[in-house]
Amino acid sequence: MARPLDEADRRILAELVGDARLSVRALAERLHISRANAYARLDRLLSSGVITGFTARFAPERAGLATTAYVSVNIEQNTWRAVSAELAELPYVESIALLASEFDVLVLVHAPDNATLRSLVLERIQAIPGVLATRTWLAFEEIRGKGPFPT
């Protein structure tokens, strides 16, 4: 059950989204709260599932992933769980979303090149049981927004 976040929790999230490597000491200093309070709040955010992990953001093109695409997928009814589980295991797949749209699933892919993307879509995604059709859109540029917890 979700509970509303207070201002201090939102500030903790904003700081960690900005720099997930931030120490608890530095976090407490930035928020003007005690380290004990920062530890307790961080522990609660982790145990309640609000924070699910700590990651690094990367620039796909600088990591050798020059081709970005969105792949829409139409699936058979009642196959979402099985299809999404298989999609999640594929290389280059960054995110998978179930939609209320003319297509059922939207997959964000960062691949090294168009040939790899083609192989991923035509040989791997379309071979997943339950997949009826795909459509691919190449992205020429990506811009990251501030997100829900801007610093």
Side-chain angles (χ1 to χ4, degrees):
M1 177 96 173
R3 70 169 191 78
L5 300 177
D6 65 14
E7 182 59 27
D9 289 340
R10 285 191 292 279
R11 289 175 45 215
I12 287 171
L13 290 174
E15 290 294 338
L16 291 174
V17 166
D19 183 1
R21 299 174 303 164
L22 200 61
S23 71
V24 175
R25 178 179 168 215
L27 183 63
E29 288 173 359
R30 288 186 185 186
L31 273 56
H32 305 290
I33 61 176
S34 71
R35 277 192 289 182
N37 189 4
Y39 272 112
R41 286 177 173 276
L42 190 55
D43 185 53
R44 191 182 69 251
L45 291 168
L46 284 161
S47 65
S48 65
V50 173
I51 296 176
T52 58
F54 299 89
T55 64
R57 290 191 307 253
F58 69 99
E61 66 284 352
R62 291 187 179 212
L65 303 171
T67 298
T68 298
Y70 290 88
V71 181
S72 68
V73 183
N74 284 331
I75 60 175
E76 294 174 4
Q77 193 158 351
N78 298 319
T79 61
W80 161 247
R81 284 184 175 80
V83 170
S84 63
E86 290 210 37
L87 288 169
E89 294 300 317
L90 295 177
Y92 311 117
V93 170
E94 183 169 327
S95 68
I96 305 156
L98 177 64
L99 304 176
S101 173
E102 64 190 68
F103 42 86
D104 304 307
V105 179
L106 189 62
V107 180
L108 174 58
V109 175
H110 291 290
D113 50 46
N114 287 350
T116 303
L117 173 65
R118 178 187 183 282
S119 174
L120 178 69
V121 173
L122 298 180
E123 297 170 15
R124 304 285 302 272
I125 294 176
Q126 290 184 359
I128 295 173
V131 170
L132 299 173
T134 62
R135 189 171 186 183
T136 303
W137 292 274
L138 288 176
F140 295 127
E141 185 174 359
E142 288 182 283
I143 299 171
R144 188 179 257 294
K146 290 184 178 184
F149 300 105
T151 55

